Amino acid sequence: MKILLDNGHGENTAGKRSPLWPDGSQLFEWSYTREIASRVYSELIKFGVDSELIVRESIDVPIRERARRVNTICKEIGIRNCFLVSIHCNAFNGKARGWEVHTYLGQSKSDDYATVFWNTARDILKDITPMRADFSDGDPDRDTNLGILRETLCPAILTENLFMDNQEDCRFLLSPTGKKAITDIHVQSILKML
């Protein structure tokens, strides 16, 4: 199986950043998700897992282009031989916290993969941040009509790795421990799937 790693947004995307915290730190989603995607990629390569970074540019690459890149690979090696992980950080009202995973509407193989990710995140993030879930259809992922999930041919999930506008979550994300934890969630989940 080929693992396709997507990171959301670009340096020119409006918003998509944490507040400037009192200590002078700030999380920029485009930079953070590229760092995490690169870490995940490097770890997967060490384990001999066929992987590819879908977005290498620092600028915002539109969803249609990112989906086109994924679908081109799917057509070359087969839809069943690909899995897309889109890596993001969440934001809402400065108070919300937690980790969650999204799949496209309805039941598919993506839901099985998302459950592996959710369970791995729960184990790694226990005592750090809440786990966010929607069990209304029997699994923990949130069914959403997000473009990258809707437009790609292969199984795909989107991870929302804590809330960058919550100071406690953001402080953890920016720490070496936090970066390792978010990387480990993705790497361990993929290895379990394989």
Side-chain angles (χ1 to χ4, degrees):
M1 180 178 285
K2 188 177 190 82
I3 306 300
L4 307 174
L5 301 168
D6 172 60
N7 38 267
H9 313 297
E11 63 185 341
N12 57 325
T13 309
K16 305 300 181 186
R17 65 194 64 190
S18 76
L20 181 62
W21 301 115
D23 66 359
S25 64
Q26 188 171 29
L27 185 151
F28 292 87
E29 186 175 5
W30 74 271
S31 177
Y32 187 84
T33 58
R34 278 164 179 74
E35 179 181 349
I36 296 299
S38 292
R39 287 172 174 242
V40 171
Y41 172 80
S42 295
E43 289 299 309
L44 291 175
I45 294 301
K46 287 181 192 174
F47 284 103
V49 177
D50 187 12
S51 306
E52 186 168 335
L53 294 166
I54 296 302
V55 177
R56 295 181 183 269
E57 302 91 335
S58 63
I59 60 167
D60 190 30
V61 176
I63 289 172
R64 282 215 168 127
E65 172 57 19
R66 287 160 41 210
R68 187 199 64 75
R69 292 176 186 183
V70 170
N71 293 338
T72 297
I73 295 166
C74 288
K75 289 172 184 173
E76 289 172 3
I77 66 171
I79 293 169
R80 291 185 191 155
N81 300 323
C82 297
F83 173 56
L84 171 70
V85 181
S86 188
I87 302 169
H88 294 258
C89 295
N90 221 335
F92 181 56
N93 62 2
K95 297 176 185 172
R97 298 189 65 206
W99 190 96
E100 64 189 31
V101 61
H102 294 254
T103 61
Y104 186 61
L105 309 174
Q107 290 292 324
S108 69
K109 191 68 177 167
S110 300
D111 294 87
D112 297 336
Y113 294 153
T115 298
V116 172
F117 271 75
W118 193 89
N119 288 332
T120 304
R122 180 196 58 206
D123 294 343
I124 290 174
L125 297 175
K126 65 182 174 211
D127 304 324
I128 294 168
T129 194
M131 292 298 296
R132 298 168 58 88
D134 175 5
F135 287 103
S136 63
D137 63 351
D139 55 42
D141 65 85
R142 296 178 182 270
D143 287 13
T144 48
N145 190 18
L146 297 170
I148 195 67
L149 302 176
R150 180 183 63 246
E151 301 295 328
T152 49
L153 299 172
C154 63
I157 66 165
L158 185 147
T159 60
E160 289 283 10
N161 297 281
L162 288 67
F163 282 76
M164 63 186 164
D165 64 342
N166 176 287
Q167 190 170 358
E168 193 171 351
D169 268 7
C170 192
R171 185 177 291 122
F172 178 75
L173 285 170
L174 289 170
S175 72
T177 302
K179 289 178 181 181
K180 182 180 184 318
I182 301 304
T183 301
D184 287 350
I185 288 167
H186 292 80
V187 172
Q188 289 180 27
S189 298
I190 290 164
L191 294 176
K192 288 173 187 175
M193 288 167 35
L194 298 175

